[in-house]
Amino acid sequence: MKKKSLAFKMSVALVLGIIAGTLAIIARENVSADTWQLINKLLFADISQSGNENALGLFYIIGQLFIKSLQLIIVPMVFTSITLAMVKISDAKKLGRISTKTVLTFLTTSVVALIMAGIVGSVISYSGLFGSLSVEGLSASTGSTSSNPLLILLNAVPSNVVSAFSNNSGVLAVVFMAVVVGLAINNLGDKVTQFTKLCGEVSSIVTVALSYIVNTFGPLAIFALITRTFAAYGIEYLKPAFIYMLVTTILLLIYLVFGYSTFIALLAKLNPIPFVKKIVKVALFGFSTSSSAATLPLNLKTTTEELGVHEEISSFVLPLGMTINMDGTAIMQVIAAVFIATCGGYELSVSSIFLIAVLALVASIGTPAAPGAGAVVLFTILSGMGYSNDMALMAYTLILAINRPIEMLVTSLNVVGDSAASIIVAKKEGLLDEETYNK
């Protein structure tokens, strides 16, 4: 009943947030500028920004406190869960099988997503719909410093132990440290017992803290986050790129609703209906927070306790998926890059769209699991393709302005994909409790 109650509360919070956000948009369009400024300062203002020193920003504070409380437990949760998973695996060949099957599953879902995005992007671009969008009046974006996507491989191996645990954006380094420590303990056996016990106790503390935070503050935070998102992005920002938003949203929804269900049915040979019913609250949570990292604790709990995936699998696949399995991010980046290239007047051939897809796949791996990361990584793809004229930069600025709702849906796709992959791997390893899954 508690699980159903939490899902119900989250659903209600989402609906109420959409209603309240719509009313905020209506108010923004119809009240005087002074009245809206007062409402914005009281409820929605980002108090960390210059000019908002005297603002209250109630909804912003609620949302940020919730996200920060979740971010606080990301590093200890990822490190302890993966370390304990390595310790529990006594068969080195088994670990190799799990790793191989996990990576192959991630690649399969990502490649299918990119093929679909490439085809749809090509059709829309060649139809002239993207070319009809207007980006006049936008200021050129300063963008961000371009970097080689292969640096992800270097950043995965930290040069300092302390730095590896001090940055939520460097979760891949934490994963590396956890794997190394876990394998070392596994090799040492009974020589190391206290550290293993400590990891187990920390993991238990994290679990209790997570349950309290999610159950107590989750629905209220979701309401605040959704309402503020609608209020902060008025209708004037959504009009110029309506087609981009519509195409990307439809594509993401299709993959979210039908893509992973198909993978569950074909690769795990399971009825996807129980998966769809139980993963809904994780998708809603990811949508609300727009952070795979913040959603990881709930995803780990749901996948293990409700979907029947053995902790040995879920504690390895889910944290790893959070850092390298970014189907939603890749789809968004392909469509966005095609949109920007078309607005910039660049010729798009089949080979160029293929290159965009490859860059999206590489760039999405290791994308920080935090709000706004996907749009920043997009600049790497544009630089790699040479889409850098003034019109392209203006279109990129437009994407940055309107992409928050898209990123929310992208996060839902990413976290659901991680859970689906863990089910597939668990089924192939014989570590899926089908009775729990089918409940």
Side-chain angles (χ1 to χ4, degrees):
M1 288 298 295
K2 287 184 179 179
K3 293 172 184 175
K4 290 182 179 179
S5 176
L6 177 60
F8 177 75
K9 288 178 182 178
M10 286 186 175
S11 299
V12 171
L14 176 65
V15 172
L16 292 178
I18 291 173
I19 293 172
T22 303
L23 292 175
I25 288 179
I26 294 173
R28 179 174 177 167
E29 297 295 321
N30 292 281
V31 302
S32 66
D34 290 340
T35 302
W36 174 252
Q37 186 176 17
L38 177 62
I39 295 173
N40 185 58
K41 284 191 173 184
L42 287 174
L43 299 178
F44 309 121
D46 180 350
I47 62 173
S48 66
Q49 296 297 315
S50 176
N52 291 330
E53 290 82 1
N54 298 320
L56 178 61
L58 182 61
F59 280 40
Y60 174 81
I61 290 174
I62 292 173
Q64 288 303 306
L65 285 175
F66 181 68
I67 290 176
K68 285 179 178 294
S69 65
L70 291 175
Q71 290 175 332
L72 181 65
I73 63 176
I74 288 171
V75 170
M77 183 189 63
V78 170
F79 179 77
T80 56
S81 63
I82 293 182
T83 299
L84 292 172
M86 296 297 101
V87 172
K88 291 175 183 177
I89 298 176
S90 57
D91 187 349
K93 291 183 179 179
K94 185 177 183 181
L95 174 60
R97 288 199 316 270
I98 293 174
S99 301
T100 301
K101 289 174 182 177
T102 299
V103 172
L104 288 177
T105 302
F106 288 160
L107 282 176
T108 300
T109 59
S110 295
V111 169
V112 172
L114 288 169
I115 290 173
M116 186 172 69
I119 292 173
V120 172
S122 300
V123 171
I124 298 297
S125 177
Y126 292 148
S127 69
L129 292 175
F130 278 165
S132 65
L133 296 175
S134 174
V135 291
E136 293 181 3
L138 290 174
S139 59
S141 171
T142 56
S144 58
T145 304
S146 173
S147 62
N148 192 319
L150 292 177
L151 285 174
I152 293 166
L153 298 176
L154 295 180
N155 294 334
V157 181
S159 59
N160 184 283
V161 173
V162 176
S163 65
F165 292 93
S166 63
N167 184 5
N168 281 338
S169 297
V171 178
L172 202 57
V174 179
V175 172
F176 175 83
M177 289 290 297
V179 170
V180 170
V181 172
L183 289 177
I185 295 174
N186 198 322
N187 182 263
L188 290 169
D190 294 336
K191 294 180 180 179
V192 179
T193 57
Q194 294 302 315
F195 188 80
T196 304
K197 183 180 179 181
L198 175 62
C199 286
E201 292 176 347
V202 171
S203 180
S204 298
I205 293 171
V206 167
T207 300
V208 172
L210 164 66
S211 297
Y212 180 77
I213 292 169
V214 171
N215 289 307
T216 306
F217 302 107
L220 175 62
I222 286 175
F223 171 76
L225 288 163
I226 294 293
T227 303
R228 183 179 179 274
T229 297
F230 273 63
Y233 293 90
I235 196 67
E236 71 273 10
Y237 287 107
L238 303 181
K239 288 178 180 177
F242 174 74
I243 295 176
Y244 159 75
M245 293 188 68
L246 182 64
V247 170
T248 308
T249 299
I250 291 175
L251 198 59
L252 290 170
L253 283 173
I254 289 174
Y255 206 77
L256 177 64
V257 175
F258 300 107
Y260 294 118
S261 297
T262 303
F263 287 125
I264 293 288
L266 295 180
L267 300 181
K269 302 189 185 307
L270 294 168
N271 179 3
I273 300 301
F275 170 73
V276 173
K277 289 181 178 179
K278 295 174 182 180
I279 206 65
V280 166
K281 62 176 172 289
V282 175
L284 290 176
F285 199 89
F287 182 80
S288 304
T289 61
S290 190
S291 170
S292 297
T295 311
L296 178 61
L298 179 62
N299 201 5
L300 190 62
K301 189 173 187 293
T302 302
T303 302
T304 304
E305 297 179 6
E306 298 181 39
L307 291 169
V309 176
H310 196 284
E311 188 177 355
E312 186 176 297
I313 300 295
S314 61
S315 60
F316 175 76
V317 176
L318 292 179
L320 185 62
M322 186 187 73
T323 59
I324 70 173
N325 186 38
M326 298 285 183
D327 298 341
T329 305
I331 290 174
M332 180 274 289
Q333 288 171 345
V334 169
I335 301 298
V338 171
F339 166 74
I340 292 170
T342 304
C343 288
Y346 293 97
E347 292 290 334
L348 281 173
S349 62
V350 175
S351 60
S352 62
I353 292 177
F354 173 77
L355 286 176
I356 289 174
V358 171
L359 284 174
L361 178 63
V362 175
S364 64
I365 296 174
T367 299
V376 175
V377 174
L378 174 61
F379 196 80
T380 300
I381 299 174
L382 299 178
S383 300
M385 295 299 298
Y387 301 150
S388 56
N389 65 18
D390 290 341
M391 204 63 181
L393 290 176
M394 289 179 185
Y396 174 69
T397 305
L398 179 59
I399 293 292
L400 294 182
I402 65 171
N403 218 47
R404 171 66 174 175
I406 297 295
E407 286 188 342
M408 295 167 75
L409 187 54
V410 161
T411 305
S412 292
L413 205 70
N414 289 342
V415 296
V416 171
D418 295 342
S419 181
S422 68
I423 291 172
I424 293 169
V425 174
K427 179 62 185 298
K428 291 181 177 179
E429 282 294 312
L431 292 173
L432 178 71
D433 185 344
E434 295 191 39
E435 184 178 343
T436 300
Y437 175 86
N438 289 309
K439 279 184 180 178

